[in-house]
Amino acid sequence: MSWIVKGVRKAAAYAAGEDKYLANSKVPQHEKHEKQQNHETLDKGDGQGAPDKPRQENNHHSTAEQNVTRIEYLAPRNGASHTPLSAATPSLRATKQWTEVQRDKLMKILNNSVVDIDALRRVSWAGIPQDLRPICWQLMLGYLPPKTSSWGEVATYKRSAYRDLLKERYEVSNSRRTSEELATLRQIAIDAPRTEPTVRLFSKSALQRSLIRVLYVHAVTHPSSGYVQGLNDVLTPFLHAFISRAFPVGDVMETWDVDSMRDDKLIDIEGDCFWCFCKLMDRVEDHYTQDQPGIKKCVTLLETLVERIDPDLHKHMHSEGLECIHFAVRWFNCLLIREFPFKLASRLWDTYIAEGDNFTEYIVYVAVALLLHFSDRLRRMDFQDMIMMLQKLPTHDWSEREVEVTLSTAYMWYSVFRETKFNPEKSNGAN
């Protein structure tokens, strides 16, 4: 198990931004220097920055000028401008400093006639500034093409297609719906008001209608998965991110007057949310099909990984009669979004979306990282206390720094098992 010990040390060094990790990773020398400079800059304050995902990155960019469509798509709405660093309080200055560094990296990628999606994924893995989040997600999910001159045309076409779906599938009388469709619509209407009750934004009537429309149209156009309780929560990061473009950068979410938005503007945002939501759901569709085979696979893998990585915790859980299936079905059904404060959900989604096709497996390692974080406390609890804690993890006071460590730990373990060609699903538990 020495390879696991080495992996733990590597993860700790990575989370702390130590040079030792950079020296051992397969990163070109010029990138090591750049990453080291970024860490030095961030360490001067108390910000919550994180290094890019530890993979090789192509720093070559063309010098193509932005076209009008691209500028309109990326520009903050209502003439908003970014707050100067000098105007920020000391506690915010380092965070803004990281945001500007990350923005510069992303803009170098976006300001090309053809966007390098692989490079975009590598940089976005470490987090995306709020005002660039919509365009980056749409590109990484394949909603928009890499060719920037096509963005406006494609977005117009997709939004029009969503309007057509609304007319064909949602804006019809109940007499034209099947009994299954009526049951689905009723369930979504029940769940919508329960969505993220701690966030006032989702209690607004306009957002309630958007939730119902997007979830219903997705359900009836994807009958194999349909609607499952919890998908309303999975949709919320998209609604939050895409609606943010309609308000000045820096405005507090609670001040967004969504109910006063024009209907056509809201439907455009819905269309963007719908297609991106579909793209993400395509990666985890077997989580929601009959018998939920994808979730069962995740739970099985989680059980094996915990036994392998933290045998003391696994032994204690087993002695108390606690199995991962008792709590992890809910975790994976909502893609772990309920285990973090909503203010951190978009940051979580940055990495999820950047992982691409690896997302379905990577999310299991995020669950492992959560269990490892609370391992000491869990090993002092009995069955009842463990269940109560795992159903409502004490992460309410977490900041982006805790999320960065969790995501980095998850990536480290994912890399360790992949690089050693160890398949935990086929493991018999032998060391």
Side-chain angles (χ1 to χ4, degrees):
M1 298 290 285
S2 60
W3 55 275
I4 291 183
V5 175
K6 184 184 294 184
V8 172
R9 292 171 179 168
K10 189 175 181 181
Y14 174 58
E18 294 177 2
D19 293 341
K20 181 179 180 180
Y21 174 81
L22 297 176
N24 290 335
S25 61
K26 299 178 181 179
V27 181
Q29 290 296 324
H30 70 279
E31 289 187 34
K32 292 181 184 180
H33 178 68
E34 179 184 351
K35 291 178 185 291
Q36 187 174 12
Q37 284 184 325
N38 291 340
H39 281 300
E40 290 172 352
T41 300
L42 293 169
D43 289 341
K44 292 178 181 178
D46 58 350
Q48 300 165 0
D52 294 345
K53 187 176 182 180
R55 292 179 181 173
Q56 292 188 4
E57 182 175 336
N58 181 359
N59 287 322
H60 173 72
H61 304 286
S62 71
T63 57
E65 294 182 355
Q66 293 185 0
N67 56 40
V68 175
T69 300
R70 193 160 17 138
I71 292 173
E72 291 177 348
Y73 215 96
L74 288 172
R77 296 297 180 261
N78 301 335
S81 59
H82 305 300
T83 303
L85 290 180
S86 59
T89 61
S91 61
L92 294 177
R93 191 171 295 124
T95 300
K96 287 184 176 293
Q97 196 171 27
W98 170 82
T99 299
E100 295 304 325
V101 169
Q102 193 71 349
R103 179 181 287 107
D104 288 344
K105 291 182 180 181
L106 290 167
M107 289 305 295
K108 287 179 182 178
I109 297 170
L110 295 170
N111 287 340
N112 290 286
S113 58
V114 178
V115 174
D116 184 338
I117 302 300
D118 287 337
L120 182 63
R121 290 185 190 280
R122 286 192 289 270
V123 176
S124 296
W125 198 97
I128 306 171
Q130 177 63 36
D131 57 327
L132 295 183
R133 189 164 274 143
I135 191 69
C136 291
W137 284 7
Q138 289 165 0
L139 284 163
M140 290 189 290
L141 287 167
Y143 170 72
L144 291 178
K147 188 176 180 181
T148 58
S149 60
S150 300
W151 288 355
E153 180 182 356
V154 170
T156 299
Y157 173 80
K158 292 288 184 68
R159 291 166 180 174
S160 177
Y162 176 70
R163 282 183 164 84
D164 291 340
L165 286 173
L166 285 178
K167 292 177 182 177
E168 296 168 7
R169 308 306 298 268
Y170 183 78
E171 297 169 358
V172 298
S173 64
N174 285 342
S175 62
R176 294 180 55 188
R177 305 185 203 273
T178 66
S179 58
E180 290 81 4
E181 289 172 346
L182 284 171
T184 296
L185 184 57
R186 281 194 294 268
Q187 187 60 58
I188 293 173
I190 291 171
D191 291 345
R194 302 172 179 170
T195 302
E196 198 55 56
T198 62
V199 180
R200 190 169 59 182
L201 175 69
F202 297 109
S203 66
K204 296 181 181 293
S205 58
L207 261 294
Q208 289 286 301
R209 293 193 297 272
S210 292
L211 277 165
I212 293 172
R213 286 191 290 255
V214 172
L215 292 169
Y216 179 77
V217 174
H218 176 268
V220 297
T221 55
H222 295 76
S224 61
S225 56
Y227 172 74
V228 176
Q229 287 180 292
L231 287 182
N232 52 319
D233 293 304
V234 176
L235 176 60
T236 54
F238 290 113
L239 282 169
H240 171 259
F242 295 167
I243 284 176
S244 70
R245 297 182 67 248
F247 301 96
V249 175
D251 271 19
V252 179
M253 177 175 56
E254 285 73 18
T255 66
W256 295 352
D257 189 6
V258 180
D259 288 333
S260 67
M261 291 178 64
R262 299 196 320 268
D263 287 343
D264 61 332
K265 179 63 178 176
L266 189 58
I267 295 299
D268 281 347
I269 292 172
E270 275 184 35
D272 294 344
C273 289
F274 172 76
W275 293 113
C276 289
F277 180 68
C278 289
K279 292 285 189 180
L280 183 66
M281 288 298 98
D282 286 346
R283 299 177 182 175
V284 290
E285 186 177 19
D286 62 354
H287 279 46
Y288 309 105
T289 53
Q290 186 175 4
D291 297 328
Q292 299 183 296
I295 288 182
K296 290 180 179 178
K297 181 179 178 181
C298 287
V299 172
T300 300
L301 178 57
L302 177 62
E303 190 84 46
T304 305
L305 288 170
V306 173
E307 181 179 14
R308 191 79 181 180
I309 297 170
D310 193 342
D312 290 340
L313 175 60
H314 185 269
K315 182 179 179 180
H316 176 71
M317 290 169 59
H318 182 74
S319 68
E320 292 291 329
L322 178 66
E323 299 178 15
C324 290
I325 197 171
H326 293 146
F327 59 89
V329 170
R330 173 184 173 277
W331 283 14
F332 295 125
N333 188 67
C334 299
L335 307 183
L336 294 172
I337 189 172
R338 290 181 178 174
E339 315 320 313
F340 296 86
F342 182 76
K343 64 181 180 180
L344 303 176
S346 293
R347 174 63 194 91
L348 194 66
W349 252 232
D350 292 342
T351 298
Y352 280 1
I353 294 172
E355 276 293 331
D357 292 337
N358 298 326
F359 163 60
T360 53
E361 188 173 0
Y362 174 75
I363 193 174
V364 181
Y365 288 86
V366 177
V368 170
L370 285 172
L371 288 174
L372 294 178
H373 181 87
F374 294 107
S375 177
D376 290 343
R377 293 170 65 175
L378 288 168
R379 282 187 277 115
R380 295 193 295 269
M381 296 179 176
D382 60 15
F383 177 91
Q384 187 64 31
D385 289 340
M386 282 193 288
I387 279 289
M388 291 180 64
M389 178 173 167
L390 292 169
Q391 288 179 344
K392 189 174 179 59
L393 288 176
T395 59
H396 60 278
D397 59 346
W398 275 23
S399 66
E400 285 199 9
R401 184 170 296 280
E402 284 80 15
V403 174
E404 304 293 355
V405 172
T406 301
L407 294 172
S408 299
T409 302
Y411 180 75
M412 183 279 297
W413 283 114
Y414 176 62
S415 299
V416 165
F417 282 107
R418 182 179 56 186
E419 291 172 5
T420 57
K421 297 182 180 180
F422 172 75
N423 187 341
E425 290 185 277
K426 297 180 179 179
S427 172
N428 58 8
N431 289 336

